[in-house]
Amino acid sequence: MIPVNAPRLGARELEYVTECLQTGWISSQGRFIEAFEKAWATYCGVAHGVAVSNGTAALEIAVKCLQFPPGSEIILPTFTFISCALAVLYAGHVPVLVDANPRTWGIDVTQIEAKITSRTRAIMPVHIYGHPVDVDPIRELARQYELVIIEDAAEAHGALYKGQRCGGLGDLGCFSFFANKLISTGEGGMVVTPKAEYAERLRALRNLGSHPERRFLHTELGHNFRLTNLQAALGLAQLEGIESALAHKRWLGAAYAKRLSVLPGLQLLGEEAWATPVCWMFCLVLDDKLGLDATELARRLAARGVMTRPFFLGMHQQPALRARGLFQGERYPVAERLARQGLYLPSGLTLTASQQEQVCDAVEAELQPLATRYL
Ligand SMILES: *Cc1c(COP(=O)(O)O)cnc(C)c1O
C-alpha cells in the first residue's frame, strides 16, 4: 500500500536529536527550543514564536491570550479541522461559521461580513490544503470592525500570500508540526505573533500560567503545553531542509496535475493570482456527474494499493458540536459537497516517481471508463 504521507528524516535530524540525548537536555529546556522558535518566527517574517505541544494547543492559547469577554463570537470556516472550533469553545466563545470558497476551499471571504455582529471579536482564516486565503479583504474587515486575525497555517508551511509568508499575515499565526505536516516534530506546534505582549501571555499560558521570574507563582489558569528540546531539535533540523521539502512538493504537485488534469470530472485545487500555495496534499474533487463519490473512489483505490484520505467534514456536520446545540439548521452547500466528493492522494516527502506513477495509473484506471458520461 502506498501511504498518504511520511516524514523525511535525515542526517541533520539524527545529529541534533543525538545532541539532546548526549547532553541530557531531553525535556522542555535546552538550546533547541529557543533556536527553533526564533528560526521559525524569522522564516514567517514575524518577531516572536512560542513553541507548544501540538497545533490544537497553539490555537487554544492563541484564542485565550486575547482575553475576550465570555460569549464573544469568532468567525471561522466550517470546512476545517475540529481544532479550530475547539479552541473557540474551550475559551468560552461562540464559533460562527462561513462556507468554503468553491475554487480554493478556504473561507469564502465574500460571506464574512454578513456574519459580523456586535459580539464578533476575531476572524480565523485557515489556509486549507496549502492554498492561502485572500487575506486583504479580511484585513479590511478587521480594521473596520476592530477584529483580531488568528491564522491557522498548519497546512501551509512556506506558502506565500502576495509574497508574505502564511502564518505571518495576521495578529497571531498558528502552526502544527504533526507527522503529516510539511515540517514535523512528531507532535508539536507554534504560535507566531508580531506583538511582544501576546508572546508574553502565550508563554505563560503554555507553562501553567507561571510568573516569568518567581517560581511557583501563578498569575492565571494555564496549561502544560510545552514542547520538548528533543522535538525542537527535530523541528530545527527540518526547517534547515525546508527548501528541499518545498521543492519535492512542487515536483509532486506538477507531476500529478500533468497526468490527472486530462481525466474527466476532476476538480484540482486552483491557484489564485495572489497565492503561492504549497501542495501540502494533492487533492481531487469528483464531479457529481461521474456518479462516484469520494468514499467509493477511496475504496477502489485501496483495492489497487493506493491509500487516500477523505476531506474534512464541516463543523456544522459534527455530532460533537451539534450535540451542544450549535449550528442548528445551518447549511453550507460548498463544504458539504467537498466533504462528499473530495479526497487526497499519497503526497509524502518520501514518495518516489514510480510510486507516483502507480497512483496516477490507479486513478486513471478508475476514471477513464467514466469519460463516456461527458460525451
Ligand atoms: C493538523 C491541523 C491542526 C491541528 O494540529 P495538531 O498538531 O494535530 O493538534 C489544526 N488545524 C489544521 C488546519 C490542521 O491541518
Side-chain angles (χ1 to χ4, degrees), residues 18-318:
T18 303
E19 182 186 316
C20 298
L21 299 178
Q22 286 174 337
T23 58
W25 292 101
I26 58 169
S27 193
S28 49
Q29 287 180 31
R31 80 173 185 96
F32 287 113
I33 295 170
E34 220 186 281
F36 182 41
E37 288 179 336
K38 284 224 166 84
W40 186 254
T42 302
Y43 181 75
C44 297
V46 176
H48 309 279
V50 179
V52 291
S53 47
N54 55 69
T56 307
L59 286 161
E60 204 177 322
I61 61 170
V63 174
K64 277 197 184 145
C65 100
L66 296 166
Q67 294 177 296
F68 294 142
S72 294
E73 294 173 4
I74 298 182
I75 295 177
L76 65 150
T78 188
F79 189 69
T80 186
F81 194 49
I82 196 163
S83 305
C84 300
L86 294 180
V88 173
L89 290 168
Y90 290 159
H93 304 321
V94 181
V96 173
L97 304 180
V98 170
D99 204 356
N101 174 306
R103 280 172 53 81
T104 62
W105 313 334
I107 190 166
D108 184 343
V109 297
T110 65
Q111 296 190 44
I112 294 176
E113 193 166 14
K115 295 285 182 122
I116 295 175
T117 73
S118 59
R119 290 177 303 280
T120 308
R121 292 287 178 275
I123 305 176
M124 186 187 282
V126 186
H127 307 293
I128 299 284
Y129 304 146
H131 193 293
V133 169
D134 188 8
V135 169
D136 276 348
I138 296 180
R139 285 169 165 160
E140 182 51 34
L141 291 172
R143 198 190 52 75
Q144 205 180 327
Y145 293 94
E146 294 178 42
L147 309 175
V148 173
I149 299 175
I150 308 162
E151 280 179 273
D152 180 346
E155 301 179 356
H157 299 182
L160 297 165
Y161 173 75
K162 298 184 180 175
Q164 247 188 309
R165 233 19 114 194
C166 286
L169 304 170
D171 301 284
L172 294 144
C174 301
F175 291 93
S176 163
F177 304 116
F178 182 61
N180 68 359
K181 304 308 199 284
L182 187 82
I183 296 298
S184 176
T185 60
E187 295 277 1
M190 203 180 301
V191 187
V192 298
T193 177
K195 294 196 180 149
E197 64 269 30
Y198 287 164
E200 193 180 320
R201 292 216 58 233
L202 291 165
R203 288 182 199 288
L205 284 167
R206 144 183 94 174
N207 190 28
L208 306 165
S210 299
H211 190 276
E213 273 128 43
R214 172 63 170 92
R215 207 172 262 261
F216 305 119
L217 175 66
H218 302 273
T219 50
E220 63 190 309
L221 302 183
H223 302 268
N224 176 355
F225 284 165
R226 298 183 301 258
L227 191 76
T228 66
N229 198 47
L230 271 169
Q231 292 166 308
L234 264 182
L236 188 66
Q238 295 252 295
L239 177 54
E240 288 174 11
I242 195 168
E243 282 311 320
S244 111
L246 289 167
H248 179 91
K249 294 286 190 183
R250 275 194 297 274
W251 160 76
L252 179 136
Y256 269 132
K258 187 157 176 260
R259 284 272 319 260
L260 302 182
S261 58
V262 298
L263 293 177
L266 284 187
Q267 184 199 352
L268 309 181
L269 184 50
E271 182 168 332
E272 299 293 350
W274 68 75
T276 310
V278 284
C279 182
W280 175 60
M281 293 287 169
F282 194 83
C283 301
L284 305 177
V285 176
L286 302 168
D287 187 16
D288 295 317
K289 231 168 101 179
L290 285 170
L292 185 69
D293 68 10
T295 310
E296 176 59 17
L297 181 62
R299 197 188 58 74
R300 295 190 196 175
L301 291 177
R304 292 179 183 273
V306 174
M307 206 187 274
T308 61
R309 288 275 185 284
F311 270 18
F312 293 126
L313 190 61
M315 294 304 104
H316 69 290
Q317 296 179 290
Q318 298 292 344

Side-chain angles (χ1 to χ4, degrees), residues 248 251 350-359:
H248 179 91
W251 160 76
T350 58
L351 191 80
T352 63
S354 85
Q355 287 177 316
Q356 198 264 345
E357 288 287 319
Q358 273 174 263
V359 175

Side-chain angles (χ1 to χ4, degrees), residues 306-369:
V306 174
M307 206 187 274
T308 61
R309 288 275 185 284
F311 270 18
F312 293 126
L313 190 61
M315 294 304 104
H316 69 290
Q317 296 179 290
Q318 298 292 344
L321 303 177
R322 294 182 61 86
R324 305 182 72 92
L326 291 162
F327 320 134
Q328 301 302 319
E330 295 181 26
R331 299 299 302 270
Y332 299 97
V334 177
E336 287 171 25
R337 179 163 178 278
L338 291 171
R340 196 173 63 243
Q341 300 295 92
L343 54 72
Y344 50 84
L345 300 174
S347 306
L349 292 173
T350 58
L351 191 80
T352 63
S354 85
Q355 287 177 316
Q356 198 264 345
E357 288 287 319
Q358 273 174 263
V359 175
C360 290
D361 291 345
V363 175
E364 196 177 270
E366 292 300 337
L367 293 183
Q368 202 60 65

